[in-house]
Amino acid sequence: MKLISLLTICLVTITFATTAQTTINITTSHTALSLQTDADSSLLLAYFGPKLGSNAEYAYIHGLDKFKPGNDDLLNKHEAYTAAGSLHLLEPALALTHSNGDKSTALHYVSHTVNRIDDNQTLTAIRLEDPVYHLQVTLYYQSYSREDVIEAWTVIQHHEKGNVVLNKYASANLTLGAQAFYLKSHHSGWGREMNAYEAALPPGILTLDSKLGARANLLQSSSFMVSLNHPATEETGEVIAGTLAWSGNFRIDFETFDENYLRITAGINNYASNYTLAPGQAFVTPKFIFTYSAQGKGAASRHLQQWARNYQLLNGQGERSTLLNNWETTYFDFDEAKLNALLHDTKKLGVDVFLLDDGWFGNKYPRNNDKGGLGDWQPNKQKLKNGFTALSKEASATDVKFGIWIEPEMVNPRSELYEKHPDWVIREPGRKEYYMRNQLVLDLANPAVQDFIYRTVDGLFNDIPALAFIKWDCNSLIYNAHSPYLKNQDHFYIEYVQGFYHILEKIRARHPQVPMMLCAGGGSRVDYGALKYFTECWPSDNTNAFDRIFIQWEYSYYFPSIALDNHVTDMGKQPIKFKTDVAMMGKLGFDIRVNELTPQDLQFCQQAVQTYNSIKDIVWHGEQYRLQDPYKEKTASMAYVSSDKTQAIVFNYFVATTFSTTIGLPIKMQGLDPAKQYRIEEINLYPGTISPINNAPTYSGDFLMKVGFNPEVSARRSSVVLRISAM
Ligand code: DGJ
């Protein structure tokens, strides 16, 4: 192994091919995934956990295999990628039908390459082959050392005499050993995104999946955490966090076996998707992203957040715009005069962008409600008498930026598009049409539809020269999944998502920087496959600030705050300060009637925008710590700490649902420098209020992390934001 590290440091790709036992270690700063061949050339997943002190000792792990005897003499190798039909009788990662109809596959190690991309990223590619068939499977593992994150995906190819049909084709599987396993998963509905459920995995299989086509996360999230041995807390315990970068049907199987083992198999859902692979064609699975932490869920989430900002989220290390959105203030009821007034309100509030939401388009079928117009992307002549030109001029005269909503994958049956191109619509011929929100989904598998969507979005940039923001919505899942274009309907769910990505690739090639919000009737499409093209997402249509604390809390396990758009709205009865504080925990926006605010509320909002501008860098790019859990305590407390540990912003909310007046225990900080002295000051105060927090004393980081601080939240001070600054 010394040879490997020496050569890889020289930034070359090295190829290995051997018949002797081979050990391949995929490592990050603190983690190792060790793969080893056995005497039959099977590639075993020998270990995934904390990195060992000595590289040489990974090779011994294989020898411990006698502790994995298989249940009741069932042969059960812990292979790196389990193929069905030969040895493996548990849930496989790969199942396929060979060109001769045979369903048995075995994979043997052939060679591997290690490519050190830079001082942080290493790509390992391992070639496996079926000894009987001309089938090649290449396992890819890209490791991110500083973030402790690994991406795994697979490329399947064959040179058989005819087509091979892929019946299951997961991105990866991971086999873990422990006394018990606790799965934390997330279940959703519209306005109820990311409800957490954590329980011990029972014997057998538990599957998290989606068959919804689009809006794939409407019912379940494709992100999860598994604790080993005991349920991990924020700061303690072994935990694996995983997420699949795919915006369509997904399937993640958790199968426990042999008392002490769990196999996680993650990938595209094979439901109704037997994929036909021609000889020579390569099938590339999406990436399964995972991280291991021995310091609880907090560290695991920070790994993913950091990785996302550095490598996945578009412009993850950059800036974002604050905005005023008109959806909840006008819904479909607006005209040019109203919009001009909103442009002025945007300026008055001090935010950067005015975002015009749904309702601006459709002429034969004006978009005055959600029953018609989707697909007809021309400005409505009644509402926008002078088109975008006048609005754009007004925006630049007012010195605010202009953004627009679009839902380009969709069509209403009441639309000119539907009349003109019925063949572009996903529906089963001869069946009753079923609608979600009165709409149907366009067939993104069809290149003509891809082109239409690309031209529609690109056209917005021509019509609105200084277009500064796009909100891309998607309000329907797919009923009657049938592509009028495809010959093989088994390819539909996959080609829909590939079509979606193809469009986004083209848009990003031409407009690489414009901020885009990923929205799907709220958070029904939040995954890293799509977030590669988007700067942010809309986590939920539920903007009630109390509920939102919980929703944002759960997203934060997988997604960084810079990616989560939060708006202050009229929803909920909390004071405007509470609502604004909650929205400031991610990317701040407003969707309120600014002209109806009391003078004091307006003054508060204006000051809050300025305060936010002074702290947003820490909120967006700092390390996030969940200090006190709203599910368990009367106070929710969330901290963001700058990377140099000189500044922290801590948001605290009184969330008691039964009678209670104050919090009980001090809140312990995390992430500070124990040796530094800090001062605590309350910020974002409502005009005229005096803070009970004395900002004179200083405390060491050590004290704040061991003893804690008291934000003085109570039923009367339900929301308190603190700035902790190093002296
Ligand atoms: C659903 C989105 O989640 C809302 O924010 C809004 O854009 C509506 N669609 C508009 O129809």
Side-chain angles (χ1 to χ4, degrees):
M1 291 317 296
K2 269 197 183 133
L3 183 67
I4 296 179
S5 28
L6 200 68
L7 290 177
T8 49
I9 283 164
C10 302
L11 303 180
V12 289
T13 300
I14 313 165
T15 306
F16 303 82
T18 171
T19 46
Q21 189 199 322
T22 304
T23 300
I24 306 165
N25 295 329
I26 289 127
T27 58
T28 63
S29 299
H30 303 100
T31 317
L33 179 79
S34 186
L35 306 169
Q36 292 165 20
T37 55
D38 68 5
D40 300 330
S41 293
S42 301
L43 183 71
L44 309 180
L45 197 161
Y47 179 78
F48 179 50
K51 200 168 166 176
L52 301 186
S54 153
N55 255 354
E57 289 189 327
Y58 289 106
Y60 301 152
I61 297 172
H62 176 56
L64 301 178
D65 226 22
K66 58 178 177 290
F67 294 123
K68 302 173 187 169
N71 203 353
D72 297 328
D73 292 333
L74 179 76
L75 286 170
N76 185 13
K77 288 190 188 189
H78 296 182
E79 284 193 55
Y81 193 70
T82 52
S86 176
L87 175 71
H88 291 288
L89 304 180
L90 300 184
E91 187 59 38
L94 179 71
L96 55 83
T97 309
H98 293 280
S99 56
N100 65 358
D102 195 341
K103 290 189 175 275
S104 131
T105 299
L107 295 174
H108 287 182
Y109 168 83
V110 176
S111 63
H112 72 282
T113 60
V114 179
N115 178 11
R116 183 95 184 255
I117 298 168
D118 57 28
D119 70 343
N120 195 45
Q121 302 173 75
T122 304
L123 177 63
T124 305
I126 308 169
R127 188 176 163 98
L128 310 176
E129 281 182 9
D130 190 314
V132 176
Y133 291 93
H134 290 297
L135 173 78
Q136 300 83 40
V137 171
T138 309
L139 309 182
Y140 288 89
Y141 297 90
Q142 183 148 341
S143 61
Y144 298 84
S145 184
R146 285 189 285 278
E147 295 79 8
D148 278 322
V149 165
I150 299 174
E151 292 174 336
W153 72 100
T154 297
V155 176
I156 305 162
Q157 217 173 355
H158 71 92
H159 292 91
E160 297 191 13
K161 292 221 167 67
N163 292 338
V164 161
V165 178
L166 304 181
N167 307 117
K168 192 175 182 201
Y169 33 87
S171 301
N173 63 215
L174 276 181
T175 306
L176 308 163
Q179 282 150 352
F181 303 93
Y182 297 84
L183 173 67
K184 178 177 165 109
S185 55
H186 303 271
H187 311 276
S188 303
W190 178 81
R192 293 176 283 116
E193 284 86 348
M194 294 297 276
N195 291 290
Y197 182 81
E198 185 160 16
L201 279 167
I205 302 191
L206 188 149
T207 297
L208 299 176
D209 85 338
S210 174
K211 304 183 191 75
L212 307 179
R215 276 191 91 164
N217 297 136
L218 178 63
L219 303 176
Q220 302 206 26
S221 167
S222 43
S223 304
F224 67 88
M225 285 189 170
V226 170
S227 304
L228 309 183
N229 301 310
H230 311 282
T233 68
E234 280 298 313
E235 292 169 82
T236 64
E238 290 185 88
V239 64
I240 285 139
T243 183
L244 188 75
W246 183 246
S247 308
N249 292 350
F250 62 86
R251 172 173 173 172
I252 308 173
D253 299 307
F254 300 84
E255 184 166 27
T256 54
F257 58 94
D258 281 2
E259 292 168 31
N260 293 123
Y261 293 98
L262 165 67
R263 184 164 299 144
I264 303 172
T265 307
I268 294 177
N269 198 335
N270 54 341
Y271 163 74
S273 300
N274 288 308
Y275 194 91
T276 299
L277 196 66
Q281 191 193 341
F283 185 87
V284 184
T285 73
K287 292 175 178 173
F288 173 51
I289 300 138
F290 57 96
T291 183
Y292 166 88
S293 152
Q295 277 92 39
K297 293 171 185 163
S301 69
R302 285 185 291 280
H303 296 166
L304 288 181
Q305 293 181 356
Q306 211 176 335
W307 166 82
R309 278 190 301 248
N310 292 344
Y311 293 104
Q312 191 72 7
L313 180 69
L314 188 79
N315 200 11
Q317 292 168 322
E319 296 286 306
R320 296 292 184 274
S321 314
T322 50
L323 53 82
L324 177 70
N325 185 199
N326 71 315
W327 175 241
E328 289 187 36
T329 54
T330 65
Y331 292 104
F332 299 98
D333 180 20
F334 56 81
D335 57 17
E336 206 173 275
K338 252 193 199 177
L339 297 180
N340 284 342
L342 288 171
L343 286 169
H344 287 265
D345 287 344
T346 309
K347 185 69 186 166
K348 200 194 278 178
L349 211 48
V351 291
D352 307 314
V353 175
F354 171 66
L355 169 63
L356 173 58
D357 214 286
D358 195 355
W360 56 266
F361 50 90
N363 284 298
K364 183 172 175 189
Y365 301 100
R367 181 76 170 167
N368 292 330
N369 50 47
D370 65 13
K371 295 194 170 56
L374 276 182
D376 302 345
W377 300 110
Q378 299 79 37
N380 175 276
K381 292 191 178 122
Q382 297 296 315
K383 292 183 187 176
L384 303 182
K385 286 207 162 53
N386 301 296
F388 287 129
T389 321
L391 261 185
S392 301
K393 269 197 192 143
E394 188 67 20
S396 68
T398 320
D399 190 27
V400 300
K401 294 178 184 161
F402 185 70
I404 200 154
W405 175 99
I406 189 164
E407 194 182 2
E409 295 160 80
M410 301 288 155
V411 63
N412 283 124
R414 280 171 55 75
S415 70
E416 292 181 76
L417 183 71
Y418 184 92
E419 290 170 351
K420 203 165 147 203
H421 285 293
D423 54 320
W424 283 7
V425 180
I426 296 167
R427 52 192 180 149
E428 184 88 39
R431 279 205 194 281
K432 176 177 176 317
E433 287 183 357
Y434 293 105
Y435 308 120
M436 177 175 247
R437 210 190 188 212
N438 310 304
Q439 63 197 56
L440 290 166
V441 185
L442 293 177
D443 180 10
L444 268 61
N446 182 342
V449 175
Q450 293 168 14
D451 192 50
F452 164 76
I453 295 178
Y454 168 73
R455 281 188 291 103
T456 301
V457 177
D458 187 45
L460 291 174
F461 288 89
N462 294 331
D463 299 347
I464 312 168
L467 184 59
F469 193 92
I470 290 178
K471 176 177 178 183
W472 181 304
D473 208 345
C474 164
N475 283 291
S476 180
L477 39 74
I478 300 176
Y479 293 115
N480 285 326
H482 175 94
S483 158
Y485 171 80
L486 288 178
K487 294 205 169 53
N488 184 350
Q489 295 302 322
D490 262 306
H491 286 202
F492 168 70
Y493 286 120
I494 295 167
E495 293 203 24
Y496 182 91
V497 181
Q498 288 171 340
F500 175 55
Y501 293 157
H502 177 71
I503 297 164
L504 290 166
E505 283 287 336
K506 274 183 78 176
I507 292 171
R508 280 310 181 190
R510 202 158 148 77
H511 308 285
Q513 293 301 333
V514 69
M516 290 212 297
M517 180 202 289
L518 170 64
C519 174
S524 297
R525 184 193 255 169
V526 181
D527 67 83
Y528 280 120
L531 280 172
K532 187 175 157 198
Y533 306 99
F534 289 83
T535 47
E536 53 215 81
C537 67
W538 182 234
S540 178
D541 275 350
N542 184 346
T543 49
N544 179 317
F546 186 85
D547 293 358
R548 197 71 182 205
I549 291 171
F550 295 82
I551 294 173
Q552 293 171 199
W553 187 273
E554 292 303 327
Y555 274 110
S556 77
Y557 282 106
Y558 312 97
F559 301 96
S561 56
I562 192 172
L564 301 175
D565 286 340
N566 306 319
H567 292 178
V568 178
T569 75
D570 280 344
M571 215 183 267
K573 292 201 164 50
Q574 306 84 13
I576 193 113
K577 170 170 161 55
F578 189 103
K579 294 177 176 186
T580 311
D581 289 350
V582 171
M584 282 165 85
M585 291 198 293
K587 212 216 76 179
L588 174 69
F590 291 83
D591 197 340
I592 43 168
R593 290 192 192 90
V594 177
N595 61 343
E596 291 177 11
L597 291 174
T598 64
Q600 272 201 324
D601 279 0
L602 175 62
Q603 189 193 344
F604 168 76
C605 290
Q606 289 167 327
Q607 285 171 2
V609 172
Q610 286 175 25
T611 305
Y612 183 71
N613 287 338
S614 74
I615 63 168
K616 64 189 183 189
D617 186 48
I618 305 169
V619 172
W620 294 346
H621 303 117
E623 294 279 14
Q624 194 170 359
Y625 295 87
R626 285 168 295 271
L627 304 180
Q628 207 159 89
D629 187 341
Y631 293 91
K632 295 187 188 137
E633 311 280 348
K634 286 183 278 184
T635 300
S637 186
M638 179 79 89
Y640 301 79
V641 182
S642 65
S643 52
D644 62 2
K645 299 182 186 292
T646 58
Q647 293 271 328
I649 309 296
V650 190
F651 295 87
N652 309 277
Y653 307 97
F654 192 68
V655 291
T657 47
T658 52
F659 178 74
S660 184
T661 48
T662 53
I663 64 161
L665 295 169
I667 295 171
K668 290 183 189 163
M669 256 311 279
Q670 292 183 49
L672 298 179
D673 180 344
K676 283 195 165 73
Q677 283 295 120
Y678 294 92
R679 177 163 278 151
I680 303 179
E681 150 208 29
E682 181 169 358
I683 58 170
N684 216 32
L685 285 158
Y686 192 78
T689 30
I690 294 166
S691 173
I693 308 279
N694 179 0
N695 61 11
T698 65
Y699 307 90
S700 67
D702 180 54
F703 177 91
L704 291 172
M705 292 192 289
K706 287 180 180 158
V707 178
F709 63 92
N710 181 356
E712 307 262 4
V713 286
S714 65
R716 295 219 174 129
R717 269 170 56 81
S718 55
S719 145
V720 173
V721 186
L722 301 176
R723 189 202 304 262
I724 301 183
S725 319
M727 303 303 295

